[in-house]
């Protein structure tokens, strides 16, 4: 599906000087991307041939530094990763999903002038170029899943408004950068600090809209885990994933992973920005299911991810024959306690067998791969299910409905036709 023209574009974007892509170039790419909207086209990713499956009304598009992804909207770009990429532990940068709230996204970041600013309730206001960050601090690397709060939203019944994501509004990557706490300690956090807020270079298009900004409690911001990352899988961040810097909050939903991070502010009051106080909230009692006519009155900001699983093999393209062994394969992950065990059912949940966790353990914030060998006795349609238990004892079970379609983690079923 690659035209020679696309190939040229790709080389041009791989600028060894640190990927300063000018606005003009980006617009040119964007028009190529928009021009290459495809529907249901066969692809050849690195490892194997697969088909992008599309729900009606969706298309496939190619954006700068990205391969063909499922496109929910083009302005702002909302691009979903096709399922077959989750057969790899690390999601390739070019296939990593993309989600922005506003169409005015940063496309012409110049590293010569870009500065990360740290201010507010600190002893010393600081400002850093990317080079400063690399020079002044010890680098830190973590493998972690970045998952949109609304991943799998399209599967809720009754259906809820918002981006109708399938299961591909997530990805697992190796993030490298600087510990947020090292930056904050250098600035000297005042002892009465409460929250730390984060915002990026993207701007709200109308005065009546709120700039995208998030916050973390000071203790969380000063923990070892939170990173200000400049690399993803050993490369500078792709522009659409937050070049040149993004917050990485392992175990927490992606809404906190502020992209094109430009400003960090330490606050001695509770942060009350729109994106914390009004949006991205969940029922306070996480097990109280909302219904469309009985919405939760008490809400809290969405936070740590719950435990969930995804079956990645066999998929409905695979030919599965009675009497022959096939491998059922999937991934599980949670908010950072780590996956303890995974069970698989091939009879719609009547009986369960333990799957074998892969020995490759990329850490408690990563996808954890598991497998189970299965020999279907006879030709039939089987309902395959998987449920994970994490080290906190959380186990996947019934799906709770909530009005925003967040945190989906019910046990999913995949139908496999055995011939
Ligand atoms: N600056 C900025 N950061 C942002 C957002 C945004 O709109 N602007 N969206 C957030 C949301 S809701 C998601 S799901 C993730 C998506 O990250 P990705 O595009 O790298 O996959 O970015 C988060 N960080
Ligand atoms: Mo999101």
């Amino acid at each position: 599906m690659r035209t020679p023209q696309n190939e040229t574009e790709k080389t041009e974007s791989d600028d060894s000087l640190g990927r300063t892509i000018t606005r003009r170039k980006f617009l040119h790419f964007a028009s190529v991307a928009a021009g290459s909207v495809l529907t249901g086209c066969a692809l050849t990713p690195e490892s194997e041939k697969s088909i992008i499956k599309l729900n009606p009304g969706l298309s496939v598009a190619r954006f700068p530094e990205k391969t063909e992804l499922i496109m929910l909207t083009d302005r702002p770009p909302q691009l979903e990763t096709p399922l077959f990429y989750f057969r790899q532990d690390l999601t390739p940068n070019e296939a990593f999903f993309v989600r922005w709230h506003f169409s005015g996204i940063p496309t012409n970041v110049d590293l010569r002038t870009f500065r990360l600013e740290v201010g507010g309730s600190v002893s010393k206001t600081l400002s850093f170029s990317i080079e400063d960050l690399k020079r002044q601090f010890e680098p830190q690397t973590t493998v972690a899943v970045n998952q949109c709060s609304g991943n799998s939203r399209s599967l809720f019944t009754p259906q809820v408004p918002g981006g109708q994501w399938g299961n591909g509004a997530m990805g697992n990557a190796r993030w490298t950068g600087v510990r947020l706490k090292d930056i904050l300690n250098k600035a000297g956090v005042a002892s009465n600090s409460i929250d730390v807020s984060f915002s990026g270079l993207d701007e709200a298009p109308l005065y009546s809209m709120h700039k995208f900004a998030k916050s973390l409690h000071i203790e969380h911001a000063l923990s070892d885990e939170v990173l200000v990352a400049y690399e993803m899988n050993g490369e500078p961040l792709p522009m659409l994933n937050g070049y040149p810097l993004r917050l990485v909050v392992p175990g927490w939903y992606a809404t906190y992973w502020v992209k094109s991070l430009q400003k960090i502010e330490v606050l001695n009051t509770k942060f009350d920005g729109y994106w914390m106080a009004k949006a991205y909230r969940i029922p306070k009692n996480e097990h109280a299911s909302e219904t469309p006519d009985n919405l939760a009155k008490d809400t809290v900001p969405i936070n740590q991810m719950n435990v969930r699983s995804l079956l990645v093999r066999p998929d409905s393209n695979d030919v599965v024959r009675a009497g022959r062994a096939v491998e059922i394969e999937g991934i599980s992950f949670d908010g950072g306690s780590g996956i303890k065990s995974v069970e698989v059912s091939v009879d719609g949940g009547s009986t369960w067998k333990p799957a074998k966790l892969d020995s490759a353990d990329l850490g408690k914030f990563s996808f954890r791969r598991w497998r189970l060998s299965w020999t279907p006795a006879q030709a039939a349609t089987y309902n395959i299910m998987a449920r994970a238990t994490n080290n906190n004892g959380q186990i996947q079970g019934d799906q709770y409905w909530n009005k925003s379609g967040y945190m989906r983690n019910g046990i999913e079923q995949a139908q496999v036709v055995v011939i």
Side-chain angles (χ1 to χ4, degrees):
M1 215 22 90
R2 282 181 185 173
T3 63
Q5 198 187 6
N6 279 355
E7 289 295 18
T8 320
E9 300 304 336
K10 205 155 183 337
T11 344
E12 273 178 21
S13 74
D14 286 335
D15 176 349
S16 56
L17 290 172
R19 301 203 178 187
T20 307
I21 294 171
T22 65
R23 179 158 185 82
R24 202 153 122 239
K25 236 183 208 171
F26 179 77
L27 290 178
H28 180 55
F29 287 144
S31 66
V32 171
S36 68
V37 171
L38 318 160
T39 30
C41 125
L43 300 175
T44 315
E46 281 132 48
S47 47
E48 50 201 291
K49 263 202 169 149
S50 282
I51 308 269
I52 296 185
K53 298 251 185 41
L54 290 178
N55 291 325
L58 293 179
S59 4
V60 172
R62 184 165 180 162
F63 275 68
E65 303 176 279
K66 292 282 162 186
T67 186
E68 289 85 350
L69 296 174
I70 301 163
M71 182 171 71
L72 274 67
T73 58
D74 63 342
R75 291 169 224 185
Q78 296 197 85
L79 311 171
E80 175 172 335
T81 303
L83 179 76
F84 55 81
Y85 284 105
F86 301 126
R87 293 173 181 177
Q88 294 166 251
D89 285 337
L90 295 176
T91 315
N93 289 5
E94 62 166 12
F96 207 96
F97 88 104
V98 171
R99 192 265 191 268
W100 291 87
H101 288 77
F102 302 130
S103 47
I105 60 175
T107 55
N108 57 348
V109 181
D110 183 344
L111 292 197
R112 290 168 298 188
T113 52
F114 174 85
R115 295 292 179 274
L116 171 68
E117 282 156 26
V118 184
S121 216
V122 291
S123 332
K124 204 164 39 160
T125 297
L126 297 176
S127 125
F128 301 95
S129 68
I130 301 296
E131 274 312 306
D132 294 336
L133 290 175
K134 290 183 177 169
R135 233 186 3 245
Q136 295 178 21
F137 300 97
E138 184 202 346
Q140 175 69 22
T141 297
T142 306
V143 176
V145 176
N146 177 42
Q147 180 183 216
C148 180
S149 320
N151 191 24
S152 316
R153 178 183 285 128
S154 66
L155 305 173
F156 277 94
T157 344
Q159 204 152 3
V160 293
Q164 295 302 302
W165 298 106
N167 293 320
M170 64 172 185
N172 191 39
R174 181 173 275 127
W175 310 94
T176 299
V178 170
R179 284 189 197 90
L180 173 64
K181 84 166 188 193
D182 291 349
I183 297 178
L184 292 176
N185 286 338
K186 184 152 201 169
V189 169
S191 59
N192 62 347
S193 303
I194 293 175
D195 278 344
V196 182
S197 73
F198 307 89
S199 61
L201 294 169
D202 48 337
E203 291 294 340
L206 299 174
Y207 73 91
S208 55
M209 289 176 158
H210 304 266
K211 185 176 165 72
F212 188 77
K214 299 293 292 188
S215 69
L216 297 176
H217 289 304
I218 187 73
E219 306 84 66
H220 191 183
L222 289 173
S223 70
D224 285 339
E225 283 153 11
V226 183
L227 301 185
V228 172
Y230 42 74
E231 269 180 22
M232 175 173 173
N233 294 325
E235 300 278 333
L237 298 164
M239 184 173 49
L240 291 168
N241 298 107
Y243 179 85
L245 275 186
R246 87 175 302 168
L247 199 66
V248 167
V249 190
W252 282 45
Y253 284 97
T255 178
Y256 292 95
W257 298 42
V258 174
K259 300 194 281 186
S260 62
L261 177 66
Q262 199 269 319
K263 199 166 178 191
I264 299 178
E265 208 174 350
V266 180
L267 304 167
N268 57 16
T269 53
K270 200 165 144 19
F271 179 72
D272 64 352
Y274 176 86
W275 300 100
M276 293 295 295
K278 298 276 188 255
Y280 286 103
R281 297 184 68 90
I282 55 169
K284 187 171 181 188
N285 175 357
E286 61 180 306
H287 293 301
S289 204
E290 294 187 294
T291 62
D293 12 85
N294 188 15
L295 300 179
K297 290 181 189 65
D298 270 354
T299 62
V300 294
I302 195 167
N303 48 81
Q304 216 173 13
M305 293 194 284
N306 55 19
V307 60
R308 72 171 299 181
S309 304
L310 188 65
L311 287 151
V312 299
R313 215 192 295 262
D315 79 10
S316 45
N317 287 321
D318 294 333
V319 177
V320 181
R321 292 184 193 282
R324 293 217 200 139
V326 288
E327 194 166 62
I328 300 175
E329 180 189 325
I331 48 176
S332 300
F333 59 97
D334 79 330
S337 76
I339 296 303
K340 183 170 177 220
S341 60
V342 177
E343 298 154 285
V344 173
S345 172
V346 294
D347 55 13
S350 305
T351 59
W352 296 88
K353 276 200 181 123
K356 193 167 183 307
L357 299 184
D358 265 14
S359 54
D361 182 353
L362 298 172
K364 58 189 184 167
F365 297 112
S366 164
F367 286 158
R368 189 71 196 268
R369 193 165 301 276
W370 46 262
R371 302 159 200 275
L372 178 71
S373 172
W374 171 49
T375 308
Q378 66 218 30
T381 299
Y382 291 80
N383 275 332
I384 304 195
M385 300 160 86
R387 69 175 181 209
T389 304
N390 69 9
N391 289 320
N392 281 344
Q394 271 188 329
I395 181 167
Q396 289 182 256
D398 292 339
Q399 181 59 53
Y400 295 101
W401 187 90
N402 63 90
K403 76 168 168 85
S404 308
Y406 289 153
M407 301 181 75
R408 189 171 178 92
N409 79 332
I411 303 169
E412 307 289 352
Q413 291 200 22
Q415 292 207 328
V416 174
V417 178
V418 174
I419 55 173

